[in-house]
Amino acid sequence: MNNFHRFAKVYLGLRAVHLASAQATDRWVQLTIAAYAQLRMASTLVDDLRRPWQSKPAPGTVLSPYRTRLGFRRLRAKIGSPTKPAKFSRPGPGRPKGSTNRPKSTCPPHRTSTKGERSHVE
């Protein structure tokens, strides 16, 4: 448990948060635990991207959450995305040339009281 606490504080941002309410703090802790759970689940899918000074793990060893975090950004390219590709950022063709604005409807505005009626009494 001590390793999780240190990992969550240093790498998952649990130390950086300063929230005013207890409910917001509980939500932040839940997000941190969810991120840790994702790292643990992705440890078998991620390639080992170790630093030059780190030793090579034994074959069949599950990666630690720290090493999983190093290769986590490459995971999406490996497994794909269920979303559609992004749309073009170029604006559309707009209104055809020569067309005019349509007149507004003649619907009266919504009022709850008439003009002579006053809601507060002095």
Side-chain angles (χ1 to χ4, degrees):
M1 189 67 176
N2 190 19
N3 291 336
F4 165 75
H5 190 255
R6 182 172 185 268
F7 182 79
K9 285 175 75 174
V10 174
Y11 297 108
L12 298 181
L14 194 58
R15 183 189 329 175
V17 66
H18 299 289
L19 301 171
S21 69
Q23 292 85 10
T25 305
D26 286 343
R27 285 191 303 268
W28 188 261
V29 170
Q30 289 171 358
L31 283 172
T32 304
I33 292 172
Y36 185 79
Q38 281 188 346
L39 287 174
R40 294 301 286 183
M41 288 188 288
S43 63
T44 57
L45 302 172
V46 173
D47 298 328
D48 184 27
L49 297 176
R50 62 186 184 279
R51 305 289 188 212
W53 58 86
Q54 293 173 335
S55 61
K56 189 174 183 176
T61 307
V62 178
L63 294 176
S64 67
Y66 175 77
R67 287 206 180 169
T68 305
R69 190 182 68 89
L70 293 177
F72 195 76
R73 63 183 158 165
R74 294 187 182 183
L75 181 63
R76 191 178 134 232
K78 189 176 181 181
I79 63 173
S81 175
T83 61
K84 295 178 183 177
K87 293 183 178 181
F88 292 110
S89 61
R90 196 173 45 194
R95 186 171 47 185
K97 290 186 178 182
S99 64
T100 58
N101 290 337
R102 284 180 264 148
K104 287 187 177 182
S105 64
T106 57
C107 182
H110 176 71
R111 291 195 178 141
T112 56
S113 63
T114 59
K115 196 170 189 178
E117 217 177 287
R118 299 285 175 155
S119 59
H120 87 273
V121 179
E122 292 182 16

